[in-house]
Amino acid sequence: MSIPAKTDVVIVGGGVAGCSIAYHLSKIGITDVVLCERKQLTCGTTWHAAGLVTQLRATRNMTELAKYTGELFSSLEAETGQATGFKQNGALRLAKTEPRFEELKRGVSMARNFGLTADVINPGEVNERWPGVETGDLAGAIWMPKDGQVNPSDVTMAMAKGARMKGVQILENTPVHRILTENGKAMGVAVEGGDIRAKKVVIAGGMWSRELAAQIGVSLPLHAAEHFYIVTEPIPGLQRDLPVLFVGDESTYYKEDAGKLLVGCFEPEAKPWGMNGIPEDFCFDALPEDIEHFEPILEQAIKRVPMLADAGIQLFFNGPESFTPDDRYLLGETPEIQGLFCACGFNSVGILSSGGVGKALADWIRDGHPPVELADVDVRRMQPFQSNRHYLHDRTKETLGLLFKMHWPNLQYETARDVRRSPFHDRLLQAGASMTEAAGFERPGFFAHDGRSTDITYSYGLQSWFDDTRRECLNTAKYVTLFDQSCFAKFRLEGRDAAAVLNRICAADIDVPVGRIVYTQWLNPRGGIEADVTVTRVSETSFMIVTVAASQTRDFSWLTRHIPDEAHAFASDITSGLPMLALMGPNSRALLQALSGEDLSNAALPFGHSREVCLGYAQVRASRLTFVGELGYELYIPAEFAPHVFDRIVERGSEFGLAHGGFFGINSMRMEKGYRHWGHDIGEEDTPLHAGLGFAVGWDKPDFIGRDVVLRQRDKGTPTRRLIQVRLEGRENAPMLYHEELILHDGRIIGSVTSGAFGHRVEASLGLGYVSCPDGVTADFLSSGDFEVEVACVRYKAQLQLGAFYDPKNTTIRV
């Protein structure tokens, strides 16, 4: 087949993801598509994948994509005539410990919320579905009948055939040498024999993706790791409809395969591979066997499934798969190059994700935005440094095993740490800080007291830092606490058109006097929240924008892409040069006044205002804000002065009751106030009115992105879907809320929790969550009937309300 000179979309990579994207583009009428595969379809990772098809993911949208994949696999053969080997034979998940059983039961409650069938079962019911498996040591198990398995190569070929039937060109033995770009936009690809010009380019090249993207300055953090499984010789009498079996506590999974058993693992410490690049001729290749590495897994497997003791091993397989730093794949338009999309780094869930990924990315390419919120996997969540190959090598040792490790709340990575440190790092360690990580930043989670360890003992209940965090929260309410918030991203927008540009991007009016701070959202054209920021007017032509650490790449990309070419406005990321400390609590003003010698009274520096003050020998920007619900100040300090300012604050702080605080305490206190967190409580599909943030919208502004949508929603009256506050009744027996717990009204599911924490100032387990009511989510509705929250299949009485549980009138922050 000849190389076409131009096309609408070029896809790089002929694995299951690339073929799915081609298939789904053709299904929505985009048929002028060329897929380039370096060797043969499926030859990289797809051909040796285990082919497990599970549906429950961490969020509703990710689950919907996985559900769609199963539905697609069940219909592909009829559509294309190509067999897929799809079997919906269900899946069993076993728990050896009570914590693992609680994790599984929380999953069952989530599954019910997402419309999936899931059941808690006893050991006898396990043996009914999987005869011969050892169940004597189990704490419990769950059954998901809609899960199953598929033949990866066959299903890929079916999607490729379906794409070809619609006119897509698939070119095998056509390696892409380089992505073509002009003026920051993708323009096609260079292949042997010429260039293919294209309007859009998709990198779906599996473990080759990082190096291909790096040629043009695009960061796709992924690294290959060895993945092991064995296939036994045929086992007489083995049931052909055995469910897939997962034993997370033993890092293993089991799949019936044509009368044989496939036994695979995600061992706790993996073996990264390909540090010096993937060989050019790699195609349907296996890696060297490592029996010694796999032996501990096999020993456990024989105890779990005794029939393995008498089964011969027909195949010992070791093949590479790519993993990302956070075990979530990379999807969407890259922040560096417009029109360049990616779908790679699938962390061994490529097959079960492929249908949803293909459908979502096809819609994204057509519409210019994702069809649903996909922040969990959006490539813009990553930081550029995460493509560092040494970092990736070390992190990949851990991420493969995290697939089956306990998914504890607040779980911290153990590898590739100490990457980004604030100037206060060593001082905080000396003060007893237990460091947690956000976007590679080391930041205090809590400060250990009374001889307690800085290590975290994980639990679904009260974790080991509970008492230390309680102390920090109560000190903040009574005296003053110092928080290192240097991880927050800071941008500067300058130029004579800066105000006009930013006013178009922001929902609130930011054309305010110098020294004013505006809390606002950046909306997309559908009215959804793309970013949640504060904007400080530093001068007539200069603004400082502050956002959360995890959104640094995403938000800076959104900002720069919405500056018109003709505008005199220039954005810069100043995060590294401007560390930030937060002083929070009723004594914060007195401490700052003592340090600076300046009047910081409410009249001199009201809430929502910012100005420069002298601290020690430094000029520091003091902004009157809070994320904990107490009188407080954010202090933005030039990096070279930061340790000096920190020392001055600590030296003087003791007479004002100063203590250190961490992010676990911040989360507790923001939950009491109902302060939203982007990526958990608000996102691309939530409008300000859904989120209870109508107060942050400049309704009288003539123009801002998303204005027409939110105006129409406001005119319709009370929203039928709304973010609310949740409080569980009873301090002693109430469980902790974390994410996606069911909210019920008179026994009917009406929503779910988005985030949660224990509130020490109100002595209760709290959460934020969305609920729906056809007649509108009003205070009257929230005070009628019986409300409950389901946690791990148990229901607890709950109180719901629109306002905060702590200081709902905001008297403490405005004194």
Side-chain angles (χ1 to χ4, degrees):
M1 186 178 292
S2 62
I3 303 296
K6 63 179 182 179
T7 189
D8 284 341
V9 183
V10 170
I11 301 168
V12 183
V16 70
C19 290
S20 178
I21 295 162
Y23 169 82
H24 284 91
L25 284 169
S26 73
K27 294 285 280 186
I28 59 174
I30 301 175
T31 57
D32 190 3
V33 176
V34 175
L35 185 151
C36 299
E37 163 54 44
R38 54 183 288 277
K39 295 289 187 181
Q40 294 173 262
L41 297 184
T42 79
C43 73
T45 295
T46 297
W47 72 276
H48 64 73
L52 310 181
V53 184
T54 59
Q55 298 182 61
L56 179 62
R57 318 311 306 156
T59 65
R60 176 179 292 277
N61 285 343
M62 299 307 296
T63 299
E64 290 296 331
L65 295 188
K67 284 168 63 179
Y68 169 78
T69 299
E71 294 164 1
L72 174 67
F73 288 175
S74 67
S75 64
L76 266 177
E77 183 172 351
E79 177 187 347
T80 66
Q82 167 71 49
T84 63
F86 179 63
K87 294 195 299 184
Q88 204 162 48
N89 47 332
L92 289 164
R93 289 168 173 79
L94 311 186
K96 293 174 63 175
T97 66
E98 287 300 330
R100 176 73 73 172
F101 194 27
E102 177 166 358
E103 176 182 280
L104 295 181
K105 287 187 290 185
R106 283 178 176 257
V108 167
S109 291
M110 283 176 57
R112 291 171 181 167
N113 188 32
F114 298 157
L116 296 176
T117 302
D119 297 298
V120 177
I121 61 175
N122 60 45
E125 292 171 303
V126 171
N127 281 129
E128 288 175 9
R129 293 170 171 84
W130 229 99
V133 65
E134 174 57 47
T135 61
D137 60 346
L138 297 185
I142 68 170
W143 164 243
M144 302 198 69
K146 298 296 185 181
D147 289 349
Q149 60 193 67
V150 74
N151 185 305
S153 294
D154 286 347
V155 81
T156 303
M157 292 302 182
M159 288 191 284
K161 185 176 180 181
R164 285 192 181 105
M165 290 165 62
K166 296 280 189 179
V168 172
Q169 294 186 66
I170 296 180
L171 307 179
E172 296 184 287
N173 298 303
T174 307
V176 170
H177 299 307
R178 187 175 180 86
I179 308 295
L180 304 177
T181 64
E182 293 177 12
N183 300 318
K185 297 181 179 179
M187 303 301 292
V189 298
V191 300
E192 195 72 35
D195 295 345
I196 304 175
R197 306 291 287 187
K199 299 174 184 176
K200 304 286 173 60
V201 178
V202 181
I203 298 177
M207 54 192 170
W208 288 270
S209 299
R210 182 177 70 90
E211 292 188 6
L212 179 64
Q215 294 178 0
I216 54 172
V218 171
S219 174
L220 295 181
L222 56 83
H223 198 292
E226 300 181 27
H227 180 211
F228 300 88
Y229 61 74
I230 64 164
V231 180
T232 69
E233 294 177 346
I235 299 176
L238 188 70
Q239 289 183 204
R240 295 300 184 96
D241 60 348
L242 280 178
V244 179
L245 180 67
F246 297 95
V247 190
D249 295 313
E250 295 170 352
S251 308
T252 53
Y253 61 89
Y254 304 77
K255 184 188 86 166
E256 186 277 329
D257 184 14
K260 298 167 280 188
L261 273 183
L262 182 152
V263 184
C265 69
F266 293 101
E267 66 276 23
E269 184 171 347
K271 296 179 65 179
W273 179 78
M275 275 294 289
N276 297 318
I278 313 299
E280 279 291 319
D281 59 351
F282 195 90
C283 178
F284 297 113
D285 290 330
L287 303 180
E289 295 182 0
D290 189 343
I291 301 293
E292 184 176 343
H293 185 79
F294 191 74
E295 189 174 16
I297 298 293
L298 187 57
E299 289 176 354
Q300 289 186 106
I302 291 172
K303 294 177 183 177
R304 181 63 52 197
V305 182
M307 70 177 74
L308 288 172
D310 300 318
I313 297 177
Q314 184 180 84
L315 172 68
F316 184 103
F317 187 81
N318 178 13
E321 298 190 24
S322 57
F323 290 81
T324 63
D326 61 2
D327 252 355
R328 291 176 277 148
Y329 52 84
L330 309 175
L331 188 69
E333 189 174 16
T334 63
E336 300 92 344
I337 302 293
Q338 292 187 49
L340 177 63
F341 294 79
C342 66
C344 52
F346 281 100
N347 306 282
S348 285
V349 297
I351 304 301
L352 67 91
S353 303
S354 59
V357 162
K359 186 177 189 301
L361 198 61
D363 290 348
W364 200 331
I365 290 169
R366 178 193 61 194
D367 301 332
H369 60 81
V372 294
E373 182 179 322
L374 295 170
D376 281 355
V377 293
D378 193 319
V379 66
R380 293 174 295 169
R381 76 187 186 277
M382 308 307 294
Q383 304 294 317
F385 83 87
Q386 291 178 302
S387 281
N388 178 292
R389 61 192 183 94
H390 302 291
Y391 167 88
L392 286 169
H393 173 273
D394 292 349
R395 175 58 62 84
T396 300
K397 291 181 179 179
E398 180 180 13
T399 49
L400 179 144
L402 289 178
L403 290 174
F404 277 9
K405 193 173 181 178
M406 283 289 298
H407 299 93
W408 295 114
N410 308 302
L411 182 67
Q412 298 299 309
Y413 295 107
E414 298 176 359
T415 55
R417 291 291 300 270
D418 288 339
V419 179
R420 306 172 76 185
R421 294 179 171 185
S422 81
F424 319 114
H425 183 83
D426 291 344
R427 289 165 169 79
L428 297 171
L429 290 179
Q430 291 174 5
S434 174
M435 289 296 178
T436 61
E437 182 204 33
F441 247 114
E442 297 293 316
R443 61 187 198 177
F446 68 97
F447 287 79
H449 295 280
D450 302 327
R452 285 187 285 269
S453 171
T454 56
D455 293 338
I456 298 176
T457 301
Y458 294 108
S459 168
Y460 276 99
L462 306 183
Q463 296 192 348
S464 57
W465 42 263
F466 184 83
D467 288 337
D468 292 305
T469 295
R470 174 182 173 81
R471 179 173 178 169
E472 294 167 19
C473 294
L474 297 183
N475 188 81
T476 306
K478 188 174 183 180
Y479 301 112
V480 57
T481 304
L482 182 65
F483 300 91
D484 176 14
Q485 294 183 321
S486 300
C487 62
F488 279 51
K490 282 85 66 176
F491 312 139
R492 191 103 171 193
L493 187 69
E494 298 180 283
R496 61 175 175 267
D497 296 329
V501 168
L502 205 50
N503 228 10
R504 163 78 176 151
I505 297 172
C506 296
D509 186 0
I510 58 85
D511 193 4
V512 295
V514 173
R516 284 294 306 275
I517 308 166
V518 179
Y519 170 59
T520 185
Q521 287 74 47
W522 293 351
L523 308 185
N524 56 45
R526 284 95 54 213
I529 299 171
E530 291 285 343
D532 186 59
V533 303
T534 60
V535 177
T536 303
R537 189 159 201 170
V538 178
S539 73
E540 288 297 321
T541 59
S542 181
F543 296 82
M544 181 177 70
I545 301 152
V546 180
T547 188
V548 293
S551 295
Q552 183 173 358
T553 301
R554 176 195 181 93
D555 290 356
F556 192 68
S557 173
W558 184 268
L559 173 64
T560 55
R561 289 194 179 184
H562 286 85
I563 301 174
D565 292 340
E566 69 278 8
H568 188 269
F570 310 96
S572 54
D573 187 329
I574 58 173
T575 304
S576 296
L578 200 63
M580 191 258 278
L581 293 170
L583 269 179
M584 296 290 151
N587 289 355
S588 58
R589 175 183 288 134
L591 173 55
L592 270 184
Q593 288 186 150
L595 286 166
S596 66
E598 299 186 31
D599 178 10
L600 298 177
S601 64
N602 197 51
L605 187 60
F607 183 79
H609 288 66
S610 177
R611 80 176 208 219
E612 288 195 343
V613 299
C614 294
L615 286 184
Y617 300 142
Q619 287 286 111
V620 172
R621 174 163 294 279
S623 296
R624 178 89 181 274
L625 289 173
T626 181
F627 198 53
V628 300
E630 303 288 351
L631 171 68
Y633 304 83
E634 294 177 352
L635 306 176
Y636 296 89
I637 314 162
E640 66 271 31
F641 293 99
H644 165 73
V645 171
F646 179 94
D647 291 343
R648 286 296 178 97
I649 293 172
V650 172
E651 287 168 5
R652 193 67 188 271
S654 59
E655 62 189 274
F656 299 91
L658 181 72
H660 292 286
F663 275 80
F664 293 152
I666 291 174
N667 190 52
S668 167
M669 290 183 280
R670 71 104 181 169
M671 198 63 54
E672 293 170 309
K673 288 293 295 178
Y675 291 151
R676 284 72 166 134
H677 188 280
W678 194 93
H680 293 96
D681 311 305
I682 52 177
E684 297 169 54
E685 294 183 278
D686 309 309
T687 71
L689 292 174
H690 288 144
L693 296 173
F695 67 88
V697 175
W699 297 107
D700 296 329
K701 283 174 58 176
D703 184 35
F704 59 87
I705 299 170
R707 178 178 184 270
D708 291 345
V709 175
V710 294
L711 279 177
R712 286 196 300 269
Q713 186 183 29
R714 183 194 64 175
D715 293 343
K716 287 182 180 179
T718 304
T720 58
R721 175 177 174 270
R722 178 70 154 76
L723 189 68
I724 49 82
Q725 328 291 128
V726 181
R727 176 176 183 156
L728 297 187
E729 294 184 6
R731 183 197 189 286
E732 296 302 322
N733 299 316
M736 298 294 290
L737 303 179
Y738 296 109
H739 185 61
E740 294 292 0
E741 292 87 357
L742 292 174
I743 301 174
L744 304 101
H745 179 233
D746 294 338
R748 183 177 60 87
I749 299 172
I750 60 166
S752 60
V753 170
T754 54
S755 60
F758 189 89
H760 294 282
R761 293 175 298 190
V762 300
E763 290 289 308
S765 180
L766 304 175
L768 286 166
Y770 283 96
V771 298
S772 297
C773 175
D775 298 324
V777 180
T778 63
D780 287 344
F781 168 69
L782 296 177
S783 61
S784 66
D786 294 322
F787 289 92
E788 297 173 302
V789 175
E790 181 173 308
V791 182
C793 302
V794 178
R795 295 181 180 180
Y796 300 85
K797 288 189 177 298
Q799 175 188 353
L800 274 60
Q801 64 185 44
L802 296 173
F805 285 105
Y806 179 76
D807 187 27
K809 295 183 179 180
N810 291 324
T811 55
T812 62
I813 68 175
R814 297 182 182 274
V815 294

